[in-house]
Amino acid sequence: MFVIKCPYCGERDQTEFSCHGESHIARPENPNEVNDKEWGEYLFFRSNPKGMHYERWTHDHGCRQWFNVKRHTVTDKIIQTYTMGEEKPEDNNV
Amino acid sequence: MTDKIISSPLIAKEDFHANGVNMSSTEFVGKLNFRCNPDNTTILNKVKDITGINLPLKAGEVFGNNEYRIQWLGPNEWIIQCADDEKDGLIDNIKSQLSDEHYSITDISDYYLTIRLSGKNSNEILSKGTSLDLKTYICNKDMCAQTYIAKATVLIDRLSNEPMYDISVRWSYAEYLWEWLVDASYEFIE
């Protein structure tokens, strides 16, 4: 069983969760002032790293809250889960 | 106003007492979904004044008295259970007392049906269908957890220290879940 720790409910099976892509992507403050290239990068380009990845997840079959997950894309190990609005943890554990 | 049509997918089911479990359906309970910022003490106090119970703020807590039962769904979401014929009054009361606050209250009584499961084999039967760690999250009375049983999303509320659960399930999944639980119990045929 692959267990994920929801910051609100505690440890639950992965089948209760779903992943919604990379987190910590800030929308440009003034969309009218950015050029097409910058807007395209905001919309479509993602880091896709081999290593530490920061993702947004939801606890669909539980509290239905969004939260962040720090996960290693090679080992699939989840290093940390933290709530929305918390600061992005440093990329030190590999 | 037209007469209310009272029906439910479980209304024709006879209570099930065999294989170490008892199952019955308890429909037509008023259920109100309440959401607000848990840091807003004005709202928390007003809800306490109206219902006589605090909103539970810890994961999986349930608080209840003779009239109401409040289940924790998430850090800013609860279900307030009350008698079916009292829910309209309760909504009006909350709306009038919290008119200046930011919150939401929704009548979801008809979204869910409740299956009451008890008996010595209930834990084993639940374990067959859910990945939830029953010994951690719903080990004592007045604890609840949202999870799924046999792919149906449910809210399990433990009513006593002896195994006794109220399983709230979507109306359209209720008959399926009932039949699944009956079927699961035949592993423990006596």
Side-chain angles (χ1 to χ4, degrees):
Chain A
M1 218 159 85
F2 192 107
V3 170
I4 296 173
K5 185 173 180 233
C6 167
Y8 302 101
C9 302
E11 290 184 339
R12 301 292 181 89
D13 188 64
Q14 60 151 338
T15 48
E16 293 188 9
F17 298 85
S18 49
C19 179
H20 300 271
E22 190 168 358
S23 63
H24 300 293
I25 293 171
R27 189 174 193 268
E29 296 250 340
N30 295 309
N32 292 331
E33 288 169 18
V34 300
N35 60 34
D36 287 354
K37 183 168 181 293
E38 284 166 341
W39 187 251
E41 276 175 7
Y42 156 68
L43 279 185
F44 303 116
F45 286 79
R46 297 293 178 261
S47 61
N48 192 25
K50 181 179 182 181
M52 214 56 77
H53 195 219
Y54 299 84
E55 295 160 340
R56 299 179 304 166
W57 286 66
T58 48
H59 191 187
D60 295 338
H61 296 277
C63 59
R64 292 185 295 283
Q65 298 292 312
W66 289 74
F67 60 96
N68 289 311
V69 166
K70 178 183 177 186
R71 182 179 67 93
H72 198 285
T73 56
V74 178
T75 60
D76 217 17
K77 186 175 176 190
I78 288 176
I79 314 292
Q80 191 180 344
T81 57
Y82 53 104
T83 57
M84 286 291 165
E86 269 185 67
E87 212 166 294
K88 184 176 175 178
E90 284 187 21
D91 186 358
N92 46 10
N93 296 307
V94 180
Chain B
M1 218 170 115
T2 51
D3 284 339
K4 236 172 152 182
I5 299 166
I6 295 185
S7 181
S8 125
L10 298 180
I11 209 158
K13 301 278 182 209
E14 283 179 21
D15 292 358
F16 181 81
H17 304 285
N19 308 336
V21 289
N22 306 299
M23 277 166 58
S24 56
S25 69
T26 53
E27 41 292 270
F28 317 125
V29 174
K31 297 189 185 79
L32 308 176
N33 181 291
F34 186 77
R35 301 196 70 166
C36 73
N37 179 356
D39 297 329
N40 186 332
T41 48
T42 314
I43 298 185
L44 299 189
N45 290 336
K46 288 242 169 103
V47 172
K48 159 100 184 175
D49 289 346
I50 295 166
T51 61
I53 326 172
N54 284 311
L55 287 174
L57 297 175
K58 253 175 66 188
E61 266 184 335
V62 184
F63 291 156
N65 58 15
N66 291 335
E67 279 180 277
Y68 305 104
R69 190 166 175 82
I70 306 187
Q71 298 154 326
W72 184 95
L73 298 187
N76 52 21
E77 188 175 16
W78 298 268
I79 283 181
I80 305 176
Q81 286 193 357
C82 61
D84 198 34
D85 51 358
E86 281 174 20
K87 65 186 182 199
D88 294 334
L90 181 59
I91 292 176
D92 291 343
N93 198 355
I94 287 178
K95 277 186 178 168
S96 65
Q97 298 222 22
L98 293 178
S99 52
D100 299 330
E101 303 293 338
H102 183 66
Y103 71 99
S104 87
I105 187 156
T106 315
D107 182 359
I108 54 165
S109 312
D110 297 333
Y111 291 10
Y112 297 99
L113 294 179
T114 304
I115 298 172
R116 180 161 294 174
L117 177 75
S118 60
K120 62 182 165 73
N121 289 334
S122 2
N123 287 353
E124 282 71 18
I125 286 161
L126 282 181
S127 308
K128 286 173 77 172
T130 178
S131 60
L132 185 78
D133 182 0
L134 302 175
K135 289 187 182 127
T136 305
Y137 294 109
I138 41 176
C139 53
N140 283 314
K141 74 168 187 176
D142 295 339
M143 295 175 88
C144 72
Q146 292 177 96
T147 180
Y148 55 87
I149 302 172
K151 298 187 180 172
T153 303
V154 293
L155 167 67
I156 309 176
D157 180 357
R158 185 154 185 165
L159 301 173
S160 87
N161 288 333
E162 295 301 304
M164 186 196 263
Y165 303 96
D166 261 358
I167 304 170
S168 298
V169 60
R170 288 272 174 189
W171 181 286
S172 54
Y173 273 87
E175 191 174 9
Y176 157 75
L177 185 65
W178 176 282
E179 295 297 344
W180 187 91
L181 289 167
V182 168
D183 186 59
S185 77
Y186 276 96
E187 181 178 336
F188 308 100
I189 197 159
E190 286 164 344

